[in-house]
Amino acid sequence: MGQRVQRLAAYAVILRGDRILLSRLAERVTKHELWTLPGGGVDHGEDPRAAVVREIYEETGLRAEVGETAHVFSLHLADTWRRGRRVDAHSVRLVYDGWVPADAPDPRVVEVDGSTADAAWQPIAAVLDGTLPTVALVGEALTVLHPERRQRIAAYAYVERDGALLLTRNSVLGPHPGVWTLPGGGIDHGESPPDTVLRELQEECGLDGKLGDLLTVDDHHFTGTAPSGRREDFHAIRIVYRASVADDTEPRVVEIDGTTDAVAWVPLAELEADAWQVSSLVRAAIAAARG
C-alpha cells in the first residue's frame, strides 16, 4: 500500500442559462481532454469559501460569490498515482453554489503553469450525456445542487393613456433581458405595496404617479438568473394597481445600472398583435383591465 495522502478541496457549480462554467485540466495533470469544476485545494488555515473564490479567479479570471453551505463529496482511491508516486489517496471535496455577475466577461485562465489549461461555459446537456469529457464530480454535483429557492413579493403599476400602456424593459441585469413589463418592483421590508408602486414609478420612469384601485394579483414560477448573476428557482407574487400620471410628462429611466434600461408608451393594439416581447404579467394585467 502506498503512502496515505488526504486532500481537502473546494469547488463551485456556476450556471448561466443552459451552460456551466468549467475548467479544463492541464496536460501535466492528464494527457486527455478533461473538464472539471472551477476550484482547488484549500490552503492550511484558509476558509474553504475563500479558497473557492480564489481558485475561481485563478482558473477563470472571474470574480465569483458562493453560498453559505456546501455539499460534501468523498473519494477514496486506495491504489493510485500522484506526482509520480503510488499513494492511498482520500479526497474530500466541498462543492458550493456559486455565481458571477450577469455581465461578467468571457472566462480566461489567470494562473501561470497551474493545473488549468482553459476555462469556458460548456453546455450542461453535453455534460449529462457524456459528450463532454468531465471528471465524475461535475455530474455528481449537478445531480444534488439545485438553484437557490427564492420567493419575492412585488407591486406594479398599470398606467394606461390614450390607448397606450406604460412599460419598462428588463436590462441585462434583470431576470429576462429585453422583455418589457409593467413599472414596479420588490417591496422593501416594512414598505406598503402602494408606496412601492409610487417609488418604482419614480425610479424606473421618472414619473410622479397617483394610485388607483387594486387591479389584480398574479404569480409566476420560473428558473432564471437574478441581477446578481445567481441562478434561482424563483416564485414571484405580483400585486398590480391601476395608476395615473400627469398628461404633460414623459417617462425616462432614472435609476443607474439597475434592472430597467428603457421605458416607453406602447400602443395596446401592438401588444394585442404580439408586436412586442412582453412578460406574462403584462398579459395578465391587460386581461384583468379588460375583464
Side-chain angles (χ1 to χ4, degrees):
M1 181 182 294
Q3 179 184 356
R4 289 184 173 184
V5 176
Q6 190 176 66
R7 179 175 183 262
L8 175 65
Y11 301 87
V13 170
I14 301 176
L15 305 177
R16 176 182 289 176
D18 60 355
R19 294 180 177 266
I20 181 172
L21 181 64
L22 296 179
S23 302
R24 182 166 65 84
L25 294 174
E27 188 175 347
R28 70 178 183 83
V29 178
T30 175
K31 299 297 182 182
H32 306 285
E33 179 187 4
L34 195 61
W35 294 81
T36 186
L37 299 174
V42 179
D43 293 337
H44 182 78
E46 186 178 30
D47 183 277
R49 293 179 70 245
V52 71
V53 169
R54 170 181 57 77
E55 288 281 351
I56 291 169
Y57 178 74
E58 292 174 0
E59 295 181 358
T60 71
L62 301 180
R63 304 290 185 182
E65 295 183 63
V66 296
E68 296 290 337
T69 60
H71 286 265
V72 181
F73 297 85
S74 178
L75 177 64
H76 182 207
L77 299 174
D79 187 9
T80 188
W81 292 86
R82 292 288 188 274
R83 297 180 180 178
R85 59 176 178 156
R86 204 169 204 163
V87 297
D88 177 358
H90 180 211
S91 298
V92 178
R93 288 87 58 89
L94 307 178
V95 181
Y96 293 86
D97 167 36
W99 60 97
V100 298
D103 57 351
D106 292 335
R108 61 182 179 85
V109 179
V110 174
E111 63 182 356
V112 179
D113 296 328
S115 61
T116 300
D118 193 10
W121 293 99
Q122 297 285 6
I124 296 173
V127 174
L128 298 178
D129 67 15
T131 304
L132 184 75
T134 65
V135 301
L137 180 63
V138 179
E140 293 169 357
L142 280 172
T143 300
V144 300
L145 267 78
H146 303 289
E148 177 76 5
R149 293 177 65 181
R150 184 178 173 220
Q151 189 176 67
R152 177 176 181 260
I153 302 176
Y156 297 85
Y158 183 92
V159 186
E160 185 179 337
R161 187 173 75 184
D162 298 329
L165 188 62
L166 182 64
L167 297 181
T168 61
R169 187 176 67 188
N170 280 328
S171 72
V172 294
L173 298 179
H176 301 292
V179 173
W180 291 82
T181 189
L182 300 178
I187 300 172
D188 291 339
H189 183 78
E191 185 179 39
S192 72
D195 286 346
T196 299
V197 174
L198 297 178
R199 171 177 57 78
E200 291 283 351
L201 269 173
Q202 181 55 234
E203 292 175 358
E204 295 183 349
C205 306
L207 299 174
D208 293 323
K210 182 178 180 181
L211 216 60
D213 296 333
L214 175 68
L215 177 61
T216 188
V217 177
D218 176 71
D219 83 300
H220 184 44
H221 182 202
F222 65 95
T223 297
T225 302
S228 65
R230 189 176 197 177
R231 190 166 174 80
E232 294 180 339
D233 177 358
F234 196 82
H235 181 209
I237 298 174
R238 307 173 300 191
I239 305 169
V240 183
Y241 291 88
R242 291 184 183 273
S244 60
V245 297
D247 291 338
D248 58 350
T249 57
E250 289 301 321
R252 61 183 177 85
V253 178
V254 175
E255 63 181 358
I256 299 174
D257 296 328
T259 57
T260 297
D261 64 9
V263 58
W265 289 102
V266 181
L268 285 164
E270 294 184 14
L271 294 176
E272 292 168 357
D274 292 332
W276 291 65
Q277 186 179 9
V278 298
S279 70
S280 61
L281 175 63
V282 174
R283 301 293 182 199
I286 292 173
R290 296 292 178 267

